[in-house]
Amino acid sequence: MTDTPPEIERMMRDKLMARSGEERFVMGALMFDSAREMVKASLPRGLSEAEQQRQLFKRLYGKEIDIE
């Protein structure tokens, strides 16, 4: 579902595609970093570093990669 009019969607895509590949890559990396921080903030407090990393990995990639 989207409530964005097609002309606005096209305009935003054109603006994004006008950026260099490097700029788009950096934008994606920064968005991933932000998402990672949000996931970390949602984990229970007091976890060891190893357990925090395990749960973070599972939350981000659990359905794509068999951890076992």
Side-chain angles (χ1 to χ4, degrees), residues 13-29:
R13 179 170 170 72
D14 291 346
K15 286 183 179 280
L16 179 61
M17 296 312 288
R19 294 177 180 260
S20 71
E22 180 181 358
E23 288 174 309
R24 293 192 313 267
F25 177 82
V26 169
M27 286 174 64

Side-chain angles (χ1 to χ4, degrees), residues 8 12 15 30 32 38 47-49 55 63 65:
I8 300 299
M12 292 304 295
K15 286 183 179 280
L30 291 172
F32 181 80
M38 284 186 258
L47 297 175
S48 68
E49 182 66 26
Q55 287 196 24
K63 293 182 180 177
I65 298 174

Side-chain angles (χ1 to χ4, degrees), residues 40 43-59:
K40 283 173 65 174
L43 296 176
R45 298 208 180 271
L47 297 175
S48 68
E49 182 66 26
E51 182 61 17
Q52 184 184 44
Q53 291 297 320
R54 190 184 77 70
Q55 287 196 24
L56 177 65
F57 185 88
K58 186 176 178 183
R59 185 89 54 95

